[in-house]
Amino acid sequence: MKIRSVDIYILDIPTVRPHQLAMHTIVEQSIVVGRIINDEGLEGWSEVATIGGASYGEGTPEAIKANIDKYITPHLIGKDPIYYSNIMFEISKAVRGNYFAKAVVETAMIDLLAKSKNIPAYELLGGKIHDSLPLAWTLASGDTVKDIEEAKEFLRQKRHKIFKLKIGKGDPYKNVDHVIKIIAAVGDQARITVDVNQAWDETTANYCIEALQEGGVSMVEQPLPTWNVEGMARLTERFKVPIMADESANSVQEIYQITKHRFGNSIALKPCKHGGLIETKKVAAIAEGAGFGLYGGTMIESSLGTAVCASVYATIPEFEFGTELFGPMLFKDRITVKDIQFNNFEIVIPDGPGFGMEIDLEKVKHYSREYSYSLN
Ligand SMILES: [Mg+2]
């Protein structure tokens, strides 16, 4: 089997409600979708998502596409995806960084390879340990009353019992008060965590985490900017509440440094930021060896990208903090024929060949920015 073509599309899909983070409010989510076709016409598909252009991280959708088209695709054409680890190793020597771009092509190769063998992708990754995984929801409307109503409704529907609050935007002390009110309303039935998305300085973090710990918060994600690793170590030392590294935890080398120096004591995984599924498994192994708790993170992928994340998370032994693969619930529409299934507070790992998702080509065309590609 040989790779014949690689196509990269940028899609903008509206969300069901505004999703407010420290640096950006999402009303339309931009995803990058990859399609790799082999010499028999079989297709492998993949997706990564980005948040807020260049405001969350440096990997914009436009840069991901441009760098794959010019620098990565030449390493793929004519190659056999059964050797995807070797192909990725060759790419790693020719292309620095670009983790999201690498994740797009690696996962599309894995989807293609698994489909050619008529097996689920997780069987190429050691097989699944979990049939389903706990699913957190992010309360991010920015309004306390609305957030409490939303949490109560999802508890009633048995959809989520872990809620994460995005508290990096606005007055930190008012935000802490917002969190404490939500814990008072639903804390007896649900676990409440917070994500600061790098928005605090260390002094603010010291005041706020003390109050949050006192108030019963279960975890504090990326309170400080990525550069302030020493500050993360001091917070980890000072507080009992787990301090999670997300934006600061990308490459295997970064994860090693975080675990060695305790720049946090738990890690949010995301296949796109680690550069693919094999790298995600390596990162998880380093964290496991250090006794760090794991969280199955999301960049808010649609159903396809969520299936990719779920497939690799299913092969990892433990997620102390569950997962947050709620992306498909936030999108107004999807580019796959069927949606991801959710049941009894958990996401169900998709079965079926590849990542278990059949592409709806008309939807890909509809939401794709460029119409000049040979989408057929
Ligand atoms: Mg985060």
Side-chain angles (χ1 to χ4, degrees):
M1 170 172 37
K2 286 195 166 66
I3 293 172
R4 193 182 75 198
S5 63
V6 179
D7 301 297
I8 305 299
Y9 311 105
I10 302 173
L11 281 63
D12 303 299
I13 307 177
T15 57
V16 292
R17 63 147 167 75
H19 195 72
Q20 189 179 290
L21 287 84
M23 75 299 286
H24 177 76
T25 299
I26 304 171
V27 291
E28 190 179 61
Q29 178 64 327
S30 299
I31 60 173
V32 180
V33 169
R35 175 175 68 169
I36 291 182
I37 307 180
N38 75 1
D39 47 5
E40 289 156 19
L42 194 62
E43 299 182 354
W45 287 82
S46 68
E47 172 197 340
V48 298
T50 58
I51 292 171
S55 65
Y56 181 95
E58 50 194 17
T60 62
E62 297 79 11
I64 294 167
K65 177 175 163 44
N67 287 341
I68 295 175
D69 287 348
K70 184 158 175 69
Y71 301 106
I72 297 181
T73 296
H75 294 276
L76 299 169
I77 301 297
K79 301 281 173 62
D80 185 340
I82 199 159
Y83 302 113
Y84 73 88
S85 277
N86 188 31
I87 298 169
M88 293 312 296
F89 178 55
E90 291 301 320
I91 290 170
S92 77
K93 289 189 279 185
V95 180
R96 289 191 191 275
N98 280 282
Y99 298 114
F100 284 62
K102 288 170 181 169
V104 172
V105 298
E106 189 217 49
T107 48
M109 281 193 284
I110 292 173
D111 189 50
L112 175 58
L113 181 58
K115 280 178 178 159
S116 76
K117 295 179 178 301
N118 204 29
I119 56 171
Y122 54 69
E123 290 192 10
L124 295 173
L125 303 166
K128 65 177 173 178
I129 297 171
H130 313 281
D131 292 321
S132 63
L133 283 164
L135 180 68
W137 175 255
T138 296
L139 297 169
S141 75
D143 180 279
T144 308
V145 175
K146 259 194 205 163
D147 279 358
I148 291 172
E149 277 172 17
E150 198 171 85
K152 283 186 173 169
E153 177 56 23
F154 289 159
L155 280 162
R156 197 189 58 72
Q157 292 176 13
K158 289 194 166 188
R159 229 176 83 163
H160 312 277
K161 56 182 173 185
I162 309 167
F163 296 105
K164 180 157 111 176
L165 304 176
K166 292 283 192 184
I167 59 167
K169 190 178 178 184
D171 181 339
Y173 304 98
K174 277 191 193 150
N175 289 339
V176 167
D177 191 49
H178 167 75
V179 177
I180 308 282
K181 281 183 181 144
I182 290 174
I183 295 177
V186 297
D188 56 336
Q189 305 162 69
R191 209 161 134 179
I192 308 295
T193 68
V194 297
D195 191 353
V196 188
N197 288 119
Q198 315 181 52
W200 292 343
D201 58 33
E202 197 173 339
T203 307
T204 308
N206 271 312
Y207 276 103
C208 292
I209 297 174
E210 191 158 290
L212 289 168
Q213 182 172 278
E214 185 87 356
V217 149
S218 304
M219 178 270 282
V220 178
E221 191 173 328
Q222 198 71 53
L224 303 179
T226 53
W227 61 264
N228 195 356
V229 289
E230 290 173 358
M232 287 285 278
R234 285 187 286 269
L235 297 178
T236 306
E237 182 72 30
R238 178 172 173 191
F239 295 107
K240 280 192 223 119
V241 64
I243 306 291
M244 183 172 286
D246 181 9
E247 289 94 313
S248 59
N250 304 288
S251 66
V252 288
Q253 292 81 7
E254 283 173 352
I255 307 292
Y256 167 69
Q257 293 293 336
I258 290 167
T259 55
K260 183 177 181 188
H261 302 291
R262 300 188 69 79
F263 302 148
N265 53 11
S266 49
I267 303 269
L269 298 182
K270 288 172 187 169
C272 53
K273 68 176 185 173
H274 307 311
L277 305 189
I278 296 298
E279 293 304 304
T280 301
K281 295 208 37 146
K282 289 184 197 169
V283 162
I286 297 169
E288 184 186 341
F292 274 40
L294 288 178
Y295 186 42
T298 182
M299 282 297 285
I300 310 186
E301 294 89 0
S302 77
S303 53
L304 175 62
T306 298
V308 171
C309 296
S311 296
V312 66
Y313 294 167
T315 70
I316 292 168
E318 275 194 70
F319 283 95
E320 185 183 333
F321 300 93
T323 78
E324 56 176 5
L325 295 180
F326 60 79
M329 295 166 161
L330 201 60
F331 282 80
K332 241 185 202 155
D333 203 355
R334 60 173 187 264
I335 56 163
T336 52
V337 175
K338 286 189 183 148
D339 212 346
I340 298 277
Q341 299 299 304
F342 302 98
N343 183 34
N344 198 24
F345 302 111
E346 303 214 326
I347 175 171
V348 179
I349 311 305
D351 288 313
F355 295 109
M357 305 307 282
E358 190 189 333
I359 297 298
D360 185 336
L361 201 56
E362 289 309 310
K363 290 285 177 66
V364 177
K365 283 184 197 170
H366 179 75
Y367 290 109
S368 185
R369 275 186 207 176
E370 309 269 348
Y371 297 94
S372 56
Y373 305 118
S374 53
L375 265 175
N376 49 39

